[in-house]
């Protein structure tokens, strides 16, 4: 007789998401070379269609004063896979364009995200929620 309690598969925990809504959408992005190994959940930004780098400074730009002010809005993505950017040429990787993520699971190299940065991510379709493991 067959064993009714055998293991038929496994499932890895997907711990960067806070919720299944809104639906996470993916895209292929180009990462600039020489950034080393980047983990899944790393925030990358840059000009849309250009080579992206790990977030290293403020995303949200506030302007004050008078006169003509030009503000550029960088595209922001969350890496969907571990990738090694090496030192040769730019590397293509899969990244999330939108979704609802845990703040603790998102990473930068050394920049500490501010409240304004989290709000900017929200305007780009990347929702974040703080959580406790």
């Amino acid at each position: 007789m067959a064993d009714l309690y055998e293991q038929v598969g496994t499932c890895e925990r997907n711990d960067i998401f806070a919720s299944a809504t809104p639906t996470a959408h993916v895209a292929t992005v180009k990462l600039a070379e020489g950034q080393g190994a980047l983990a899944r959940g790393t925030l990358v930004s840059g000009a849309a269609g250009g080579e992206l780098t790990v977030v290293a400074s403020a995303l949200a730009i506030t302007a004050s004063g008078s006169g003509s002010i030009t503000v550029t809005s960088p595209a922001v993505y969350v890496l969907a896979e571990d990738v090694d950017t090496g030192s040769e040429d730019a590397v293509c990787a899969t990244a999330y364009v939108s979704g609802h993520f845990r703040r603790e699971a998102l990473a930068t190299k050394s920049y500490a995200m501010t409240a304004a940065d989290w709000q900017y991510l929200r305007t780009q379709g990347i929702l974040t929620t703080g959580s406790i493991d």
Side-chain angles (χ1 to χ4, degrees):
M1 179 176 248
D3 185 5
L4 297 178
Y5 300 103
E6 69 181 272
Q7 181 175 344
V8 293
T10 61
C11 181
E12 291 185 27
R13 183 172 177 233
N14 193 342
D15 64 348
I16 68 171
F17 291 102
S19 173
T21 55
T23 304
H25 293 108
V26 296
T28 301
V29 296
K30 188 184 291 187
L31 302 172
E33 81 245 7
Q35 299 181 80
L38 303 178
R40 179 173 182 264
T42 300
L43 292 165
V44 294
S45 68
E51 293 183 4
L52 305 176
T53 58
V54 176
V55 171
S57 61
L59 292 170
I61 301 170
T62 55
S64 62
S66 59
S68 176
I69 299 172
T70 303
V71 177
T72 58
S73 300
V76 182
Y77 303 90
V78 177
L79 287 182
E81 60 187 350
D82 293 342
V83 63
D84 186 359
T85 58
S87 60
E88 295 295 319
D89 294 325
V91 176
C92 288
T94 304
Y96 296 107
V97 178
S98 64
H100 194 166
F101 302 92
R102 290 178 43 243
R103 285 187 181 178
E104 296 81 8
L106 301 181
T108 62
K109 284 253 180 171
S110 60
Y111 177 68
M113 298 286 284
T114 66
D117 294 321
W118 296 120
Q119 183 60 36
Y120 181 77
L121 288 176
R122 186 175 190 79
T123 66
Q124 300 299 302
I126 299 173
L127 305 177
T128 61
T129 300
S131 62
I132 300 174
D133 283 332

